[in-house]
Amino acid sequence: METTKPIQLDDKSIKQSVFFEMLDVPVYCNLLWSDQQGARNCPKGDIRLVFYPDTGMIKNIAFDPSKLGYSQDYENSLHYSPRFQQYAQSLADSLVSRHDLYDKDIIEIGSGKGDFLVSLCELGNNRGVGFDPSYIPRTEHGGMNDRVKFIQDFYSDKYQEYKADLICCRQTLEHIPNPSDLLIPLRKAIGDSIETAVFFEVPNGLHTFRNMAIWDIIYEHCCYFVPISMEKAFASCGFQVQLKNESFGGQFLCLEALPSSDTAPNTTYDSEHDHNIQSLLEDISTFTGKFDALVKDWGKRLAEIKQSGKKVVAWGAGSKGVTFLNIFKEYDVVQYIVDLNPRKTGMYVAGTGQEIVQPDFLKEYQPDIVIIMNPIYENEIKNSVMDMGIAPEFLSA
């Protein structure tokens, strides 16, 4: 796939084509910081988003990959949430059933801490290989050592000898400046095994820019996909898209594809493509204004809370929580942020330095307000808090 460019190429027109900016933001949202000052002094970068109508892609043209280097200190696992576990288990069940994954070989690119790959292998007595530089050996996976192998590295063409019946990749493609840098070597590695299916999951750009899920905009995400841009990326790299759909309350975009035996990429997009692009253009043209209005509304709300002297915590120390706290850091209202992931406990939020605490902390702290960073977890969070005998006001970000 060729690297796309804005419609005009001179520096002035590129600057004019930037439809949204967010400057001096943490380059990592999920890197664990063990000291507060280090968290506040974390590496920063700029976000300048450009929309490419020819592909439907949205990219951060200020992204500098040299600023990033994923290590074992990177922690973005959501599997401690029962709501997310339910989603992941349902997805694994569906993939195993739909692709007849029984006694088969599975590769996961960007396997994180390995929970999803282990689930796929447990469900169908499968064999798995996971690639992720941030992987840390876990005792709870010890019983799968004979069937699951993790390689603490990025997937690349040097691992072409690994073959699979299913290759999955979740929440990883959006971290790669040019998707073809992963998809072309992947297609080459599959070779003539045209029955090898691939499954990819990414954040849904439509949810971010149409539904104003603005806390999802982070430096690590250098690309934002919508259905048309996902399909074009895969078609241009030798895949035939079989299925694409939204999942997890519309927050994720999923795609399944098979290797195409046709060497000429399928790039025929008709009036439906034009309609989708035009619709996205309309969303983008109003995004900055809506973003500013939402930030202004929240700023007013936080100023009133600060004036009242109420104690506030946020819930969810992932990307959404980090973005929210960094946008409103001058209000200095939220002192703590709750997260179920025990590896984050006692660590500090990049850019702002709030301490990350376990839910039990709230019994002692007795907050007046809990800000829920992801509304899909609202019922889970409310039930957990009420079970402690606490009755704060809940606000959904």
Side-chain angles (χ1 to χ4, degrees), residues 347-396:
M347 300 298 182
Y348 297 89
V349 172
T352 53
Q354 283 86 356
E355 184 178 354
I356 303 171
V357 298
Q358 282 282 299
D360 282 351
F361 173 82
L362 302 187
K363 294 178 183 179
E364 174 188 351
Y365 190 62
Q366 294 287 316
D368 301 297
I369 298 172
V370 175
I371 301 176
I372 299 172
M373 295 314 311
N374 189 339
I376 203 166
Y377 300 118
E378 182 173 346
N379 290 336
E380 176 180 299
I381 292 170
K382 286 183 176 179
N383 290 336
S384 177
V385 172
M386 289 187 289
D387 286 346
M388 299 179 202
I390 308 170
E393 178 185 359
F394 292 95
L395 300 177
S396 185

Side-chain angles (χ1 to χ4, degrees), residues 296-362:
K296 182 178 180 181
D297 179 66
W298 264 105
K300 181 180 178 182
R301 189 180 306 186
L302 292 173
E304 291 171 352
I305 292 172
K306 184 173 184 178
Q307 183 68 26
S308 72
K310 293 180 178 179
K311 292 193 291 186
V312 186
V313 298
W315 191 303
S319 300
K320 294 177 177 62
V322 174
T323 298
F324 181 90
L325 293 175
N326 275 273
I327 287 176
F328 299 109
K329 57 188 173 184
E330 72 269 20
Y331 293 97
D332 193 28
V333 175
V334 180
Q335 299 301 311
Y336 299 95
I337 185 165
V338 180
D339 202 279
L340 294 174
N341 188 334
R343 289 199 69 231
K344 293 185 177 183
T345 303
M347 300 298 182
Y348 297 89
V349 172
T352 53
Q354 283 86 356
E355 184 178 354
I356 303 171
V357 298
Q358 282 282 299
D360 282 351
F361 173 82
L362 302 187

Side-chain angles (χ1 to χ4, degrees), residues 69-73 110 131-136 151-155:
Y70 297 97
S71 69
Q72 293 180 339
D73 291 329
F131 295 89
D132 200 303
S134 72
Y135 177 74
I136 298 174
I151 297 174
Q152 292 166 310
D153 194 6
F154 294 105
Y155 178 84

Side-chain angles (χ1 to χ4, degrees), residues 215-376:
W215 323 123
D216 287 328
I217 300 175
I218 63 174
Y219 187 84
E220 294 170 64
H221 293 175
C222 50
C223 294
Y224 295 83
F225 291 92
V226 298
I228 189 64
S229 59
M230 276 281 279
E231 185 169 359
K232 292 197 76 167
F234 278 79
S236 299
C237 293
F239 291 93
Q240 181 67 46
V241 175
Q242 304 293 305
L243 173 70
K244 58 182 188 292
N245 64 277
E246 297 179 343
S247 64
F248 203 55
Q251 295 184 20
F252 300 159
L253 180 61
C254 298
L255 178 144
E256 293 185 27
L258 289 171
S260 174
S261 57
D262 187 355
T263 56
N266 176 16
T267 55
T268 302
Y269 295 92
D270 50 19
S271 58
E272 180 183 0
H273 166 261
D274 295 337
H275 172 76
N276 290 337
I277 293 299
Q278 183 58 40
S279 178
L280 189 54
L281 274 169
E282 293 171 4
D283 294 328
I284 286 171
S285 67
T286 60
F287 177 76
T288 298
K290 291 179 178 178
F291 176 93
D292 291 342
L294 188 56
V295 168
K296 182 178 180 181
D297 179 66
W298 264 105
K300 181 180 178 182
R301 189 180 306 186
L302 292 173
E304 291 171 352
I305 292 172
K306 184 173 184 178
Q307 183 68 26
S308 72
K310 293 180 178 179
K311 292 193 291 186
V312 186
V313 298
W315 191 303
S319 300
K320 294 177 177 62
V322 174
T323 298
F324 181 90
L325 293 175
N326 275 273
I327 287 176
F328 299 109
K329 57 188 173 184
E330 72 269 20
Y331 293 97
D332 193 28
V333 175
V334 180
Q335 299 301 311
Y336 299 95
I337 185 165
V338 180
D339 202 279
L340 294 174
N341 188 334
R343 289 199 69 231
K344 293 185 177 183
T345 303
M347 300 298 182
Y348 297 89
V349 172
T352 53
Q354 283 86 356
E355 184 178 354
I356 303 171
V357 298
Q358 282 282 299
D360 282 351
F361 173 82
L362 302 187
K363 294 178 183 179
E364 174 188 351
Y365 190 62
Q366 294 287 316
D368 301 297
I369 298 172
V370 175
I371 301 176
I372 299 172
M373 295 314 311
N374 189 339
I376 203 166

Side-chain angles (χ1 to χ4, degrees), residues 1-4 57 59 63 65 109 154-160 169 172-189 200 222-223 225 232-234 236-239:
M1 183 201 299
E2 291 185 2
T3 303
T4 56
M57 185 77 76
K59 290 188 176 185
F63 180 76
I109 299 170
F154 294 105
Y155 178 84
S156 67
D157 52 9
K158 70 180 180 181
Y159 296 111
Q160 289 186 24
C169 179
T172 297
L173 193 62
E174 68 275 11
H175 295 258
I176 301 173
N178 295 305
S180 59
D181 289 345
L182 173 60
L183 297 180
I184 288 177
L186 179 60
R187 177 63 186 92
K188 183 178 179 182
F200 276 69
C222 50
C223 294
F225 291 92
K232 292 197 76 167
F234 278 79
S236 299
C237 293
F239 291 93

